[in-house]
Amino acid sequence: MDSLIIRGGNRLEGGLTASGAKNAALPILAATLLTAGACSLRSVPVLRDITTMLTLLASLGAKTARRQDGEVLIESDSVQAFTAPYDLVKTMRASILVLGPLLARYGQARVSFPGGCAIGSRPVDLHIRALEAMGAVITIEGGYIVASAPEGLKGVDFTFDTVTVGGTENAVMAASLAAGTSVLRNVAREPEIVDLVRFLRAMGAHIEGEGTDTLTLQGVATLNGAPYEVMPDRIEVGTYLVAAAATGGSLRVEGICPEVLGVVRDKLGQTGADLDEGDDWISLDMRGERPKAVDIVTEPFPGFPTDMQAQFTALNTVAQGTSRVTETVFENRLMQAHEMKRMGADITIEGDSACITGRSSLQGAPVMASDLRASASLVIAGLVASGETRIDRIYHIDRGYENIEGKLQCLGADIRRIST
Ligand code: UD1
């Protein structure tokens, strides 16, 4: 099993280019099941979750290939299986995203029920309710969601009780091929949803309203294959910018429109960093100073993203001042705080909030990654700690960060991967 060894204390300095967004690529890959046509996708990041999704698509019968230039080619003209098995779903919850496309195109799907995970119970009841409203018959049998739509899916006017990214994605993919008009209300507005809708539109879907809380669709009988370039990863970019700020360093990231960072950009500004930007780049300079502490409350987009919460928690542990970080999207997503306390961080957990008093430094320690973004936050903590930090269970980090140690080494970090 791999671990990361970090000797902290180096300022991050330099530049990097954003990778494609994992959370956009996963639903886009699932959406290729909606067509028999060939899809060619650029900027699909090289990550464990992407490999899992490609394995799942191949197990259903899709032809998948990654060319040498990185382009991913998929053709779902010979799908003959309709089951997402437990072994794949347990390693990646986003496997649930094949449910809507399989049901819409083939009228049947069996997807293993995603269980609890490290950041809370994460139910999929709203995915199921939206598809049932479109006419699907869904039962739970032997740990599987068993869905059928013998007469096809039909358009629906459906309101989500809670804003859900994955639920919105499953519903919009299914409604693209449902008969008639669908109006989906209280949907997620994340940039990754906008990216999925743009891909579906390139495939011939009729959808309006992406980026707002209501999506209106006119279902079509068939969709075509399409070429598409996946959007850059705002969470990856945000993570490196926070890491640079925490170390008092400076960083320029190419290949991302800064607006997509939303409130993360505002919060970075509140740390006292100098920010500059152009159409497709953003830079941050902390001028060698300690960042100022910032308060965070996570919310669905356009609020502060839960996927950036742990990284700002790490920054706050070494910032000037006190801060409160409140997690409202997921239960149980402050686990990284306990590991950071082992590194000397002054954090008190009160319900869904972490109260943090910044220290001038942390001390390196052996720590354990509990989920993807928690792992990233421990890397940031390791970069600012004195001495050596060893992070175990970093398979979590490989799910979502392409070549993290390589990118950080280029920025001057003393970090290496070991296999034990
Ligand atoms: C996606 C992202 C994840 C991010 C999250 C919130 C992907 C692959 N993953 O996860 O990185 O942290 O959005 O931005 O894109 N809920 C229900 N019932 C449901 C579905 C969700 O109650 O049927 C609840 C969840 O428990 C959670 C909240 O809604 O409390 C938001 O979850 P959701 O937006 O669905 O997250 P994911 O799509 O799983």
Side-chain angles (χ1 to χ4, degrees), residues 339-400:
E339 296 298 290
M340 288 176 193
K341 280 164 87 162
R342 300 184 54 250
M343 300 173 73
D346 184 347
I347 308 180
T348 310
I349 303 291
E350 291 173 2
D352 60 4
S353 294
C355 301
I356 306 157
T357 302
R359 295 232 153 118
S360 55
S361 172
L362 302 178
Q363 296 101 48
V367 290
M368 203 172 312
S370 57
D371 72 58
L372 169 56
R373 305 304 168 187
S375 321
S377 73
L378 293 176
V379 170
I380 295 172
L383 291 171
V384 294
S386 57
E388 185 174 288
T389 295
R390 174 191 170 122
I391 307 176
D392 289 335
R393 294 203 186 163
I394 58 154
Y395 51 84
H396 290 293
I397 216 162
D398 295 330
R399 289 186 38 221

Side-chain angles (χ1 to χ4, degrees), residues 59-76:
S59 77
L60 298 172
K63 298 184 206 85
T64 69
R66 193 187 269 274
R67 291 195 338 192
Q68 281 213 323
D69 63 4
E71 194 165 272
V72 171
L73 306 175
I74 304 182
E75 205 168 339
S76 299

Side-chain angles (χ1 to χ4, degrees), residues 16-17 19 236 240 402-411:
L16 51 80
T17 302
S19 299
E236 184 207 34
Y240 287 112
E402 193 175 272
N403 186 21
I404 191 167
E405 68 272 28
K407 289 192 176 186
L408 286 171
Q409 282 161 2
C410 288
L411 301 177

Side-chain angles (χ1 to χ4, degrees), residues 1 85 120 210 228 331:
M1 207 176 283
E210 71 272 24
Y228 196 73
E331 56 193 75

Side-chain angles (χ1 to χ4, degrees), residues 22-24 26-27 49 92-94 96-97 119-128 160 162-169 188 190 192 234-235 299-301 305-307 328-331 333 372-373 399:
K22 170 180 87 76
N23 286 356
L26 289 172
D49 273 8
M92 186 186 68
R93 289 178 46 83
I96 187 79
L97 294 174
I119 57 173
S121 58
R122 295 180 84 169
V124 289
D125 55 317
L126 298 172
H127 300 234
I128 292 172
F160 286 92
T162 306
V163 177
T164 154
V165 172
T168 300
E169 290 165 347
E190 268 68 2
E192 292 76 16
R234 66 194 168 104
I235 305 300
E299 282 167 347
F301 195 86
T306 173
D307 284 352
T328 74
V329 177
F330 290 113
E331 56 193 75
R333 206 179 190 181
L372 169 56
R373 305 304 168 187
R399 289 186 38 221

